Amino acid sequence: MAKQNLIRQLFDYVLTQYGTKPEYLWKNHPNYGVLRHADNRKWYAIVMNVEKSSLGLSGAGKLPVMNVKCTPEMLSLFLPQTGFLPAYHMNKNHWLTVLLDGSVEKDTVLFLLNASFDLTATRQVKKQLGISRYTEWIVPANPKYYDVEKDLREGGEIHWKQSNNIAADDIVYMYVTEPTGAIRYKCLVLEVNIPYHKKRTDDLQVKRVMKIRCLKEYDKTLILRAKMAQFGVTAVRGPRHMPYALKQEIAMLSGESCEK
């Protein structure tokens, strides 16, 4: 009964918090409830009753479980703990199975459920709900086109080529390519979608720019390409998301807070 109560509480929670109702998609698994976003239709959880043997556990019978999406850092944190398993029937690099048999505290289950919602939600939905208001990026700066190290300092503002996905209030970590080969600046995006009409003498095509302010200037030896590679960033050919673990490493090395 306690297990069913927890599942009922989870379904009541997502209905109140996100307006989500479980969807039962399979006739042969009538109790498998999928939780997904109304706009992009992406799943953020599925609640199931699964045979213990299918989960790699000993004994007979079924266990209630929930699959949620996780970051690699979260997987490495939770998988060694009791009550967590590699994702059942889903990508084990991005999903986690959580036992709903009382092995895991309800608050932890809700934390993971919220995190999964956040990871799979659109920017518009997250802004409406007041979660994850900004995204963090690594963008390349090629000295061949512009010597940013000559002009940009803490507190300074410049215009920069804009990617489609970058929005106002996002954070941009600027990676200066060789011969520097290091992250040199942390910037706040002030304004986006600024038309660019200037004629260029190089082959770089620029239609829109964004206005950014430098929040932090890093020493050119602090976050070298080799350090970035330790966190999975082996190339920066265009804007890419900043891994949370690398963000933490930068904060530790530079003595700044992990917060924006």
Side-chain angles (χ1 to χ4, degrees):
M1 180 64 70
K3 301 173 186 178
Q4 290 302 317
N5 284 342
L6 176 57
I7 293 173
R8 184 69 265 159
Q9 289 172 34
L10 294 180
F11 287 163
D12 288 344
Y13 175 82
V14 296
L15 179 61
T16 301
Q17 188 78 1
Y18 302 126
T20 304
K21 293 182 179 180
E23 299 180 41
Y24 300 95
L25 306 178
W26 301 280
K27 290 182 179 180
N28 55 334
H29 294 295
N31 296 320
Y32 282 23
V34 172
L35 304 177
R36 60 179 168 182
H37 297 276
D39 55 349
N40 62 17
R41 307 305 290 162
K42 287 184 178 180
W43 296 14
Y44 64 91
I46 177 172
V47 175
M48 305 169 281
N49 281 302
V50 181
E51 293 286 349
K52 290 183 179 180
S53 58
S54 297
L55 297 171
L57 302 176
S58 59
K62 295 183 177 182
L63 284 177
V65 302
M66 177 178 71
N67 281 4
V68 288
K69 193 164 190 179
C70 290
T71 64
E73 293 81 14
M74 292 168 67
L75 288 174
S76 63
L77 174 65
F78 286 104
L79 276 175
Q81 300 183 38
T82 301
F84 303 96
L85 300 169
Y88 171 71
H89 264 298
M90 297 184 78
N91 189 322
K92 292 175 173 53
N93 293 321
H94 300 287
W95 290 79
L96 175 72
T97 289
V98 185
L99 299 186
L100 301 180
D101 63 347
S103 302
V104 180
E105 294 287 338
K106 177 184 173 182
D107 286 347
T108 303
V109 175
L110 291 178
F111 167 79
L112 289 166
L113 187 58
N114 289 331
S116 185
F117 181 95
D118 192 2
L119 286 170
T120 51
T122 61
R123 183 190 296 271
Q124 290 76 15
V125 166
K126 287 190 278 189
K127 284 189 174 181
Q128 289 171 7
L129 296 173
I131 55 176
S132 291
R133 292 184 178 274
Y134 63 93
T135 303
E136 296 181 309
W137 306 86
I138 305 174
V139 301
N142 191 335
K144 171 184 174 182
Y145 298 112
Y146 178 64
D147 188 0
V148 67
E149 292 180 289
K150 178 181 177 182
D151 294 339
L152 191 57
R153 296 292 180 268
E154 285 189 20
E157 298 178 2
I158 60 172
H159 288 93
W160 199 258
K161 182 182 178 182
Q162 182 189 335
S163 164
N164 287 338
N165 295 323
I166 296 179
D169 290 333
D170 281 358
I171 293 293
V172 167
Y173 290 83
M174 195 167 290
Y175 169 75
V176 180
T177 59
E178 301 298 340
T180 298
I183 291 177
R184 293 283 283 116
Y185 307 99
K186 177 182 179 180
C187 302
L188 172 67
V189 179
L190 301 174
E191 188 178 350
V192 295
N193 296 323
I194 303 170
Y196 185 86
H197 301 300
K198 294 181 181 179
K199 292 184 178 181
R200 301 186 63 91
T201 57
D202 52 49
D203 58 355
L204 186 65
Q205 295 185 356
V206 181
K207 295 182 179 180
R208 294 174 302 149
V209 294
M210 56 186 177
K211 186 178 182 180
I212 60 176
R213 176 185 298 145
C214 180
L215 302 177
K216 184 77 174 179
E217 181 179 358
Y218 303 113
D219 185 271
K220 62 177 59 180
T221 64
L222 187 68
I223 314 144
L224 293 169
R225 185 175 179 180
K227 171 66 70 176
M228 296 163 61
Q230 295 175 14
F231 297 88
V233 181
T234 56
V236 186
R237 299 185 180 90
R240 59 177 294 167
H241 290 289
M242 164 64 76
Y244 182 71
L246 178 55
K247 171 188 170 181
Q248 287 184 308
E249 180 75 4
I250 293 172
M252 183 189 71
L253 292 173
S254 63
E256 62 181 320
S257 167
C258 263
E259 298 301 319
K260 182 176 176 180

